[in-house]
Amino acid sequence: MEEFTFISKITPKTYRQAPIIKGIGDDAAVLRLPGEDLVVAVDTFVEGVHFTDQTLSPEQLGYRVLAVNLSDMAAMGARPLAYLVSLVAKKGREEEFYYRMYAGMEALASRYRIDLIGGDTVVGEELVLSVTVLGSVPRDQARYRSQAKPGDIVFVTGSLGDAQAGLNLLLDEKTKKRKLTSWERTLIRRHQEPEPRVDFAQALRPIQRLALNDISDGIANELEEIATSSQVTIVIEAERLPVSLELQHFPRLQQEEWKLFGGEDFELVGTVAEEEFPKVKEIGRMQGLEVTAIGRVSSDRQGKGRVFLRKDGRERPLEKRGYIHRSEDSE
Ligand code: ADP
Ligand code: MG
């Protein structure tokens, strides 16, 4: 691949965002952010580890790695501005692949009015795509995981477990051999093209205090991060975890496992004062996004930094990752 031609082909003609003073074409990009705090996140996808040609098309690969970063911006309450792409192109692969990948990024970038402002290109043995996103928040207004307080309502956007179900369908040899149903295609799209909740997080700006996290590793894990950072206890109720109609095609235990531990839904989970929760719900409703109360923050001293799941009238500690099937659970 000829680097100069490649870069000139992916360079935007104009920039959407005013803070960008210099984009692609110099040694580094320059942004000006008066009165704002800069918010930065990076995510890396390695072929064969995070995706294969079986799970993502080139467009979806570009879309997804940017979406994952935008989800981090949403979880910080930040407005995304621009992104940079570090690419290890795989030796011998046709250039067309990369243009399609950039087209996938641009499809999402144009929706959120953000700009490609730089990157780096090298050739190597494996395809590695790393995207860095820059965003901004009004000074001192980033949403931290440490903001949860006892008495808060715990809420989550959208539905849980769909992306994991979709990935399982993609990898299942049996489904590969037949035509997919429409609900299966919906679940698969939830893995391939997650919607970062950027607009919702922006619309939450009037809410004074919020703890926010995005669901990359599963809600059990994300809630533990909030509980630990905020030094509180969180109790959620199994029956309240939002489930899509599509996911209900799977057995109940499978649904529950994916809802709690599946991850990659890129929904937002957060906590907010009880009296503010109706506003949060209304902001979601205005965007056609369901917001569900799933539990409470408490100050139970023994359980600080821990998460509990209430199910069938019993409360038990929720493990961070993966479902631990104890003998008492398999009745
Ligand atoms: P330098 O030698 O200063 O690192 P490069 O030749 O690597 O510059 O890059 C030239 C310009 O193209 C820079 O603005 C850089 O940010 C941008 N760029 C290089 N590779 C990519 C890429 N894969 N995606 C987006 N921008 C890129
Ligand atoms: Mg370079």
Side-chain angles (χ1 to χ4, degrees):
M1 141 159 108
E2 210 288 291
E3 199 185 330
F4 179 77
T5 327
F6 178 71
I7 294 169
S8 67
K9 276 202 190 174
I10 58 160
T11 299
K13 308 268 171 304
T14 56
Y15 293 100
R16 303 172 175 114
Q17 289 287 343
I20 299 166
I21 298 172
K22 187 75 192 177
I24 290 179
D26 214 301
D27 300 304
V30 183
L31 284 83
R32 188 168 293 164
L33 300 167
E36 305 257 309
D37 291 332
L38 179 65
V39 183
V40 189
V42 61
D43 268 289
T44 303
F45 280 32
V46 178
E47 188 164 29
V49 177
H50 301 99
F51 70 96
T52 64
D53 59 2
Q54 196 183 105
T55 63
L56 298 177
S57 70
E59 287 85 354
Q60 285 169 337
L61 168 62
Y63 176 103
R64 195 163 188 280
V65 66
L66 185 56
V68 166
N69 269 294
L70 292 185
S71 180
D72 282 325
M73 290 292 121
M76 294 303 283
R79 183 169 70 98
L81 296 168
Y83 63 107
L84 299 101
V85 179
S86 174
L87 175 64
V88 182
K90 189 175 167 136
K91 212 185 280 173
R93 180 168 288 168
E94 73 287 9
E95 253 178 67
E96 185 59 20
F97 181 98
Y98 302 102
Y99 296 128
R100 289 177 63 191
M101 194 180 80
Y102 272 82
M105 285 189 267
E106 169 59 19
L108 188 61
S110 68
R111 276 174 44 210
Y112 289 99
R113 300 199 46 74
I114 65 174
D115 295 303
L116 174 63
I117 57 165
D120 195 30
T121 314
V122 296
V123 175
E125 299 296 329
E126 299 292 344
L127 172 61
V128 180
L129 175 61
S130 180
V131 171
T132 302
V133 171
L134 310 180
S136 71
V137 286
R139 217 182 155 136
D140 289 324
Q141 286 187 32
R143 306 295 197 186
Y144 298 121
R145 295 169 183 175
S146 55
Q147 294 290 313
K149 294 222 163 103
D152 278 2
I153 299 269
V154 180
F155 65 87
V156 66
T157 62
S159 57
L160 299 173
D162 297 340
Q164 200 60 41
L167 179 59
N168 268 64
L169 288 167
L170 274 171
L171 297 174
D172 186 348
E173 294 298 327
K174 278 172 286 185
T175 46
K176 268 183 249 165
K177 292 190 189 108
R178 60 171 171 80
K179 196 169 180 300
L180 294 166
T181 63
S182 98
W183 64 266
E184 284 172 328
R185 284 198 300 271
T186 302
L187 293 172
I188 286 171
R189 255 199 317 279
R190 292 269 291 168
H191 167 75
Q192 292 173 328
E193 294 163 40
E195 190 63 58
R197 301 303 185 190
V198 169
D199 294 339
F200 172 69
Q202 283 298 287
L204 292 177
R205 185 60 45 228
I207 309 280
Q208 273 269 326
R209 180 183 57 81
L210 273 176
L212 268 189
N213 203 350
D214 72 322
I215 303 179
S216 50
D217 294 326
I219 195 167
N221 185 68
E222 317 307 343
L223 285 172
E224 206 210 80
E225 288 171 355
I226 293 177
T228 305
S229 298
S230 298
Q231 278 301 292
V232 293
T233 304
I234 289 178
V235 183
I236 59 165
E237 300 190 29
E239 272 75 60
R240 292 213 191 171
L241 297 174
V243 59
S244 67
L245 287 172
E246 289 82 8
L247 196 69
Q248 290 176 44
H249 285 90
F250 289 91
R252 276 193 156 270
L253 263 181
Q254 181 68 86
Q255 285 178 40
E256 183 169 288
E257 181 167 338
W258 282 336
K259 282 193 286 184
L260 290 168
F261 310 110
E264 306 209 318
D265 286 311
F266 298 105
E267 295 295 348
L268 292 177
V269 59
T271 87
V272 66
E274 182 169 19
E275 58 277 18
E276 298 258 67
F277 179 68
K279 274 192 245 168
V280 172
K281 197 160 170 73
E282 175 60 16
I283 288 167
R285 200 190 59 77
M286 290 192 308
Q287 301 194 356
L289 180 62
E290 188 69 44
V291 178
T292 310
I294 58 167
R296 284 270 184 186
V297 178
S298 84
S299 56
D300 174 358
R301 286 177 169 273
Q302 280 165 354
K304 264 191 186 153
R306 299 195 71 183
V307 182
F308 295 86
L309 179 71
R310 189 178 295 148
K311 190 186 166 188
D312 305 328
R314 277 194 303 162
E315 242 173 53
R316 54 192 172 159
L318 191 57
E319 308 298 335
K320 204 165 29 173
R321 261 170 229 274
Y323 206 69
I324 299 185
H325 293 280
R326 296 195 202 84
S327 52
E328 54 168 341
D329 295 333
S330 55
E331 56 227 28

